[in-house]
Amino acid sequence: MKKKTLVPFIVFLLGICLISFIVYKTNAHEEEQKHTTAQLNATTYGERIKNEITNGMEITDVLKQILISEDGELNQFDTVAKNIMSDSIESIQLAPNGVVTDIYPAEGNEAGKIDLLHNKDRQEISCYARDNHTLITQCPFELKQGGYGLAVRNPVYLKDDNGQEYFWGFTIVILRVPDIFSDSISALSDFGYEYKLSKTVAPWDNTYEVVYQSDGSIIHPVSYDFTIGEENWKFEVMPEGGWQNTAFIALTSGFFASIVLLLSGLTRVWLVSKENKNKFQILAHIDSLTNIYNRYGFNELAEKMISENPKAHFIAAFLDIDDFKLINDIYGHAYGDKALKSLADSMKAFFPSDALLGRNGGDEFCILLQNNACEAAAKQLQQFTRIPKTFSCNGQEHPFYISLGYAEYPDFASNCLQLMRCADAALYEVKLHGKNGCMAYKEGLQSRVRKQLGFALKDISEHLPGAFIIYKADKKEDELFYANHEFLHMTGYKDMEELFRLTKRSFRNLIREDERQQIEASIWEQIDNGNENDYIHFHLRKADGSYLSVLDHGRIVENQQYGRVFYVMFMDWKDMHIHYSDKFSYNDKFSKRTAGNITN
């Protein structure tokens, strides 16, 4: 009861902490997104504002080029000015020797005719422009017509008869602010941003003055800096509602608070379900009798360990109890279980903690040793095989013995499944040689391995009326499992060991090379189309390298141990023509699955 009260309380406290963290992270993420978007807008529209101001300034360059080309004369100033005038320009001016003499339009701008080099408000910056050959701007200042202006003064230099450069004066344009960049600030306002445009007071001064800004306050804005001439500009942007979304924070907090309360109320159910889930997971992976991995759990972990360390060496061992059936028959199944448990306990006590131990089923057990080779593991496995093993019955200890076979990865196998088969083959060899022993896998044992294909294979296959093989049904990695005596006799292979060696255990190596691709494609095409009872005609490789024209009849069968396997019967094509040519035409009957016009 205490746990059921304490845990919900802990869940509630952790939930509150989690809510705070989530809200903080969510708000930080949203704020970061807002900063990113705002920075993108500041850069985009800041660059546009720069281009719009620069385009306005280019009018002074036009006038400057005319003056240079006309040796300082501009006879039709009003006409030229009128042609280059725009709505965002207040006036266009000429100032020979720094004195404004010509203004377009003249009406309303008479007060603009001043001596720039001696005017107290304009003298310093105008002299700087003259002496440093640089365009300068000065703003903001109120226009008599209303609004604010931005003055652009571009110094002009000509050459005298001696080729000496001299200061002619200024070409000037007065730009209306914010008309010159109204499109950009209108777009930002529509997007919900506050903004501020500033520039340095003078090229030699790092102090910024505001050129134009929106009505709202600017707090921790993002900015885009750019340069016009020798003056630095700054365009600052921030969302109208600020960086934080208060409504979103409140909504998120309320939502997660509801979840925390719900989780606290359901904690008891969660604890029960968690307990049951753990039990089911244990049942799914652990053998309940021996408390080591069952076949499913062992295979899953073994495949994972090997796949994650493909270059490491592993030893897989299969072992079982000799004459285990006698223990069950004499002492009963309860004492058979005791023997199984005793064997599992001895495995746990003997092998290192990183060894993978499992019960494969019945009295069969399996072991996977990491970073081990056969030579190093041989002594250890032999020692474990010789250790006395007993189970208790009626106060007495009764001995029992085991047989063990083992194999090494990657020397004898390229994957976990092949490694286990090799270990099983070694175990079977121990059984054939009197049991109670320990043996490593070696080449050739595979041919005598017990094939668990669901029936007494030797008894049936050797009496089948025809040649017969079994191989793995895999488009990329087929593997020969078995061939009966009739097949070996027909193809001239001395035994299965020779068959496996010459074909590298692959069915496709039995097909004549020039037919191989076509025959394999035909087989799988017909299987994929659901045709399970048709025939294939091809040339089968014999032991001496010659080829025999055969007809095969195959079927895919699902096998518990090996997955999908092919059962295939073979018939000599020539013999069938000789014996059955009078009864019916094979060309008609088998043309459906004959792969091309293959001749004998």
Side-chain angles (χ1 to χ4, degrees):
M1 188 66 180
K2 182 179 179 181
K3 182 178 180 181
K4 292 180 181 180
T5 303
L6 181 61
V7 171
F9 179 70
I10 294 175
V11 169
F12 179 77
L13 291 179
L14 291 176
I16 296 299
C17 294
L18 181 62
I19 287 174
S20 301
F21 176 75
I22 290 175
V23 170
Y24 169 75
K25 293 297 289 184
T26 302
N27 183 60
H29 177 68
E30 185 178 355
E31 187 172 333
E32 182 180 355
Q33 285 187 322
K34 283 187 174 183
H35 271 87
T36 302
T37 305
Q39 185 63 65
L40 180 62
N41 280 310
T43 302
T44 301
Y45 288 100
E47 188 66 21
R48 284 179 58 177
I49 289 172
K50 173 187 175 182
N51 292 335
E52 288 162 347
I53 294 174
T54 302
N55 289 338
M57 292 178 175
E58 287 179 353
I59 291 174
T60 63
D61 285 327
V62 172
L63 297 174
K64 181 177 180 178
Q65 293 305 318
I66 294 174
L67 288 169
I68 292 174
S69 64
E70 297 296 330
D71 197 24
E73 297 293 332
L74 187 52
N75 297 323
Q76 297 180 338
F77 169 73
D78 287 350
T79 302
V80 173
K82 181 179 180 180
N83 289 332
I84 59 178
M85 195 73 173
S86 68
D87 293 339
S88 60
I89 297 176
E90 175 63 26
S91 66
I92 300 173
Q93 305 175 6
L94 294 180
N97 296 315
V99 179
V100 178
T101 58
D102 298 281
I103 301 178
Y104 180 87
E107 185 178 353
N109 291 309
E110 294 80 0
K113 294 183 177 182
I114 57 177
D115 185 351
L116 299 173
L117 300 179
H118 297 90
N119 182 274
K120 66 174 183 177
D121 296 325
R122 298 167 178 82
Q123 177 181 8
E124 186 176 17
I125 196 167
S126 297
C127 290
Y128 181 90
R130 179 196 63 188
D131 298 340
N132 291 276
H133 292 57
T134 185
L135 178 148
I136 55 95
T137 62
Q138 194 170 10
C139 68
F141 53 86
E142 291 189 15
L143 299 172
K144 290 187 177 182
Q145 294 82 357
Y148 292 88
L150 169 66
V152 181
R153 303 188 187 102
N154 196 346
V156 179
Y157 300 88
L158 301 178
K159 291 184 178 180
D160 59 20
D161 296 336
N162 296 323
Q164 296 295 317
E165 187 179 73
Y166 68 93
F167 173 67
W168 177 88
F170 295 102
T171 57
I172 303 168
V173 63
I174 307 299
L175 304 176
R176 291 198 189 100
V177 176
D179 301 40
I180 189 65
F181 43 77
S182 59
D183 290 342
S184 297
I185 62 174
S186 294
L188 282 172
S189 297
D190 293 340
F191 291 151
Y193 284 99
E194 303 287 353
Y195 52 85
K196 180 169 67 175
L197 178 65
S198 308
K199 65 175 287 292
T200 50
V201 175
W204 62 86
D205 192 338
N206 291 328
T207 304
Y208 279 87
E209 60 182 350
V210 176
V211 176
Y212 191 78
Q213 69 176 32
S214 59
D215 296 332
S217 58
I218 305 290
I219 302 173
H220 304 301
V222 296
S223 65
Y224 175 70
D225 298 326
F226 57 91
T227 302
I228 298 177
E230 293 186 7
E231 295 171 322
N232 296 323
W233 293 67
K234 181 186 296 184
F235 185 56
E236 298 171 288
V237 168
M238 69 165 290
E240 288 180 354
W243 298 111
Q244 293 187 346
N245 190 335
T246 307
F248 177 78
I249 293 173
L251 182 62
T252 305
S253 300
F255 173 73
F256 282 106
S258 300
I259 292 178
V260 169
L261 291 174
L262 180 62
L263 287 175
S264 298
L266 295 176
T267 298
R268 290 191 180 187
V269 176
W270 175 79
L271 288 173
V272 172
S273 65
K274 183 175 181 295
E275 183 178 351
N276 291 336
K277 181 180 178 181
N278 290 337
K279 289 181 180 178
F280 292 144
Q281 286 180 336
I282 291 173
L283 290 174
H285 292 82
I286 302 297
D287 178 61
S288 58
L289 175 66
T290 59
N291 203 30
I292 59 176
Y293 286 104
N294 58 21
R295 180 175 180 174
Y296 170 76
F298 181 89
N299 289 344
E300 185 180 80
L301 286 178
E303 289 181 4
K304 182 179 180 182
M305 289 167 63
I306 292 177
S307 64
E308 289 180 350
N309 302 279
K311 295 184 179 180
H313 285 260
F314 291 86
I315 295 294
F318 267 128
L319 60 142
D320 63 14
I321 298 176
D322 296 333
D323 302 315
F324 180 67
K325 187 175 183 300
L326 291 178
I327 297 177
N328 282 331
D329 291 344
I330 295 173
Y331 300 100
H333 288 280
Y335 292 99
D337 288 348
K338 284 191 174 184
L340 295 174
K341 193 174 185 309
S342 173
L343 177 56
D345 290 341
S346 65
M347 290 167 62
K348 287 186 282 187
F350 183 85
F351 290 102
S353 59
D354 63 349
L356 185 63
L357 309 177
R359 182 187 174 194
N360 206 35
D363 66 319
E364 191 173 84
F365 292 78
C366 39
I367 305 168
L368 185 68
L369 301 175
Q370 303 182 58
N371 301 315
N372 248 305
C374 272
E375 294 181 3
K379 183 176 180 181
Q380 184 181 25
L381 294 173
Q382 288 171 0
Q383 181 183 356
F384 176 72
T385 305
R386 291 194 297 266
I387 291 177
K389 298 168 183 64
T390 63
F391 65 92
S392 179
C393 179
N394 298 325
Q396 294 185 352
E397 296 295 320
H398 298 272
F400 65 90
Y401 305 94
I402 66 168
S403 296
L404 185 148
Y406 61 97
E408 180 180 353
Y409 169 91
D411 290 6
F412 296 105
S414 60
N415 55 52
C416 181
L417 180 60
Q418 288 183 358
L419 180 63
M420 295 304 173
R421 288 178 189 167
C422 292
D424 187 51
L427 172 59
Y428 190 53
E429 192 72 13
V430 174
K431 294 293 187 182
L432 293 176
H433 287 79
K435 307 177 184 179
N436 188 215
C438 176
M439 179 179 290
Y441 173 79
K442 58 185 177 182
E443 293 290 347
L445 294 185
Q446 196 79 20
S447 62
R448 296 191 291 273
V449 65
R450 43 184 170 174
K451 295 299 176 186
Q452 300 176 3
L453 298 173
F455 52 84
L457 181 61
K458 183 176 180 180
D459 293 341
I460 294 177
S461 65
E462 294 305 327
H463 296 89
L464 286 171
F468 175 76
I469 68 168
I470 302 174
Y471 71 94
K472 183 179 179 182
D474 190 299
K475 292 183 181 181
K476 295 183 179 180
E477 296 184 5
D478 69 302
E479 181 181 358
L480 285 170
F481 290 148
Y482 184 78
N484 70 348
H485 177 75
E486 190 76 20
F487 179 86
L488 297 174
H489 176 73
M490 182 175 74
T491 54
Y493 291 96
K494 182 172 58 177
D495 50 30
M496 281 201 294
E497 290 188 24
E498 184 179 44
L499 171 66
F500 290 162
R501 178 170 55 81
L502 293 179
T503 63
K504 299 180 181 179
R505 297 184 64 87
S506 174
F507 170 71
R508 60 171 54 96
N509 291 331
L510 285 168
I511 305 172
R512 198 167 71 186
E513 188 173 352
D514 62 332
E515 302 172 356
R516 191 174 298 164
Q517 185 175 359
Q518 182 183 6
I519 295 300
E520 289 185 322
S522 178
I523 290 173
W524 285 104
E525 178 182 0
Q526 295 174 42
I527 288 173
D528 292 339
N529 291 334
N531 301 325
E532 298 183 355
N533 295 305
D534 293 334
Y535 295 80
I536 280 286
H537 180 198
F538 67 94
H539 288 85
L540 185 71
R541 185 185 188 280
K542 299 176 67 175
D544 60 4
S546 63
Y547 289 90
L548 178 67
S549 180
V550 298
L551 192 72
D552 88 7
H553 184 197
R555 174 171 291 184
I556 288 183
V557 176
E558 290 291 337
N559 178 263
Q560 183 177 2
Q561 180 171 353
Y562 297 101
R564 296 205 307 171
V565 298
F566 270 121
Y567 291 3
V568 186
M569 295 285 294
F570 292 90
M571 291 150 278
D572 188 309
W573 177 265
K574 184 179 292 186
D575 286 348
M576 293 184 71
H577 271 283
I578 294 173
H579 287 90
Y580 298 103
S581 60
D582 295 337
K583 296 183 180 180
F584 54 86
S585 172
Y586 270 89
N587 287 333
D588 294 334
K589 180 173 178 64
F590 302 122
S591 60
K592 184 178 180 182
R593 288 192 69 203
T594 302
N597 297 321
I598 304 174
T599 62
N600 294 329

